[in-house]
Amino acid sequence: MRTLHKGLRPLYAPLLHPKHTVRIRSPLSISCGAPRRSFQTSASYRTIDLAYDLHDNGGKATGAPILILHGLFGSKKNNRSISKALARDLSRPVYAIDLRNHGDSAHDKAHNYIALAEDTEAFLEKHDLRDATLIGHSMGAKTVMTMALRNPDCCANIIPVDNAPVDAALSSDFPNYVEGMRKVENEKVNSQKAADEILEPFAKELPVRQFLLTNLTRPSPSEPLKFRIPVQILAKALDDMADFPFTDPDIRRFNKPALFMRGSRSHYVSDETIPIIGRFFPRFELMDIDAGHWVISENPEAFRRGVVEFLQDKE
């Protein structure tokens, strides 16, 4: 699992740190999105005070903190089980975060990686969290990469899960999910079953629908069900979620350890992205996990082992 394929050395070796290891899959092309919009990588947004759950193994976890950031349409609840396991195995407190416009955190019209990074940096400062490990899946992965490149001193290392520091079109599934959620709200349903039936044409897989429907709440007993996430805001943010705010690794670079974990059945971290990962994050390692894009929920044990091994190596 941790041997560099010799056939890649002429192409990748100049860009890789000696500790980088990768098991190669069949090459997949990067799906490029629309022409880049202008990102203000130093912009300052109104920061959101992020909701969180702290998992500290009953107070026994006292090491350096770990932050775990969910993906688009997710919440801190998605990472409850894995957070408890990591707190136990590593004896480190794990903060499961709700990013802006998700879970119990406040809503705001600005939803891009600079805003998400600034929120999380403010969270680290507010809670006086030093030498943190930042773990993020999908949207959360690009957020922790953005934080590491903006301010390398904000963390000790990062673990981006199934995303890469490139502009690449989101899976066409995500606009479908948004359309389905809009239809659920427009129909003013009163039951999860009714919502699931409306959503099914837009999200064929039951686990995906169950994931999306975790956001469905009833504001009051007399009102129909409604998504707690601001569907309209996130619909408008899909292009920003496909982008990455940094383009020049000669200007921005993170020279601390980074573990990139990718699903072996996902296209989000294709082999073609490896060189640019190596330039932005020269001390990176790459681990394949038998999963699709939803790595943590699809194969939590392999994910847990990979994180524990990586972080124990760094102690």
Side-chain angles (χ1 to χ4, degrees), residues 46-302:
R46 181 178 70 89
T47 58
I48 300 296
D49 192 13
L50 300 178
Y52 71 99
D53 287 335
L54 172 60
H55 305 279
D56 61 1
N57 196 27
K60 298 175 184 176
T62 57
I66 297 172
L67 269 63
I68 184 163
L69 282 56
H70 59 80
L72 189 60
F73 309 138
S75 74
K76 61 184 183 296
K77 293 180 180 179
N78 304 140
N79 295 316
R80 181 178 296 157
S81 296
I82 194 65
S83 296
K84 290 180 178 179
L86 294 176
R88 178 197 66 221
D89 294 346
L90 292 165
S91 193
R92 295 175 59 175
V94 180
Y95 295 78
I97 305 297
D98 274 342
L99 295 170
R100 64 169 53 201
N101 295 316
H102 290 78
D104 296 323
S105 289
H107 300 171
D108 191 275
K109 290 182 179 179
H111 194 89
N112 57 60
Y113 290 115
I114 299 301
L116 294 168
E118 288 186 349
D119 289 345
T120 313
E121 290 166 1
F123 182 90
L124 290 170
E125 185 173 350
K126 176 182 178 179
H127 296 275
D128 194 26
L129 302 179
R130 310 296 177 189
D131 299 319
T133 292
L134 305 179
I135 303 175
H137 170 251
S138 195
M139 176 182 74
K142 279 192 171 179
T143 301
V144 302
M145 286 186 272
T146 299
M147 293 172 64
L149 293 174
R150 273 168 51 93
N151 179 15
D153 292 334
C154 78
C155 60
N157 45 58
I158 63 170
I159 304 178
V161 183
D162 215 54
N163 219 332
V166 296
D167 290 353
L170 292 179
S171 164
S172 60
D173 293 337
F174 284 95
N176 289 339
Y177 301 158
V178 167
E179 186 178 351
M181 287 188 286
R182 281 172 166 167
K183 189 165 185 180
V184 168
E185 288 195 334
N186 290 339
E187 293 293 328
K188 301 185 183 304
V189 299
N190 284 299
S191 71
Q192 287 268 343
K193 181 181 179 183
D196 182 70
E197 290 174 354
I198 294 170
L199 197 56
E200 185 173 7
F202 304 93
K204 299 294 186 183
E205 298 178 357
L206 178 59
V208 174
R209 296 200 304 278
Q210 291 173 331
F211 164 71
L212 295 173
L213 292 174
T214 60
N215 291 293
L216 206 56
T217 61
R218 192 183 302 277
S220 72
S222 61
E223 293 185 71
L225 294 171
K226 183 179 177 62
F227 286 99
R228 65 162 55 90
I229 56 175
V231 176
Q232 299 291 359
I233 290 175
L234 295 178
K236 293 178 181 178
L238 290 180
D239 285 341
D240 284 330
M241 295 296 93
D243 285 346
F244 189 68
F246 299 106
T247 59
D248 189 349
D250 290 330
I251 296 176
R252 300 275 186 166
R253 190 169 295 166
F254 184 70
N255 290 308
K256 297 179 182 179
L259 174 63
F260 280 73
M261 306 178 85
R262 64 179 178 179
S264 60
R265 289 178 272 109
S266 172
H267 71 274
Y268 278 85
V269 187
S270 68
D271 292 335
E272 287 81 0
T273 64
I274 295 174
I276 193 65
I277 291 172
R279 293 189 64 197
F280 276 123
F281 304 95
R283 294 183 61 188
F284 85 113
E285 301 175 42
L286 180 62
M287 178 178 292
D288 279 354
I289 290 180
D290 182 17
H293 179 58
W294 311 94
V295 173
I296 301 173
S297 60
E298 291 181 46
N299 199 337
E301 178 57 21

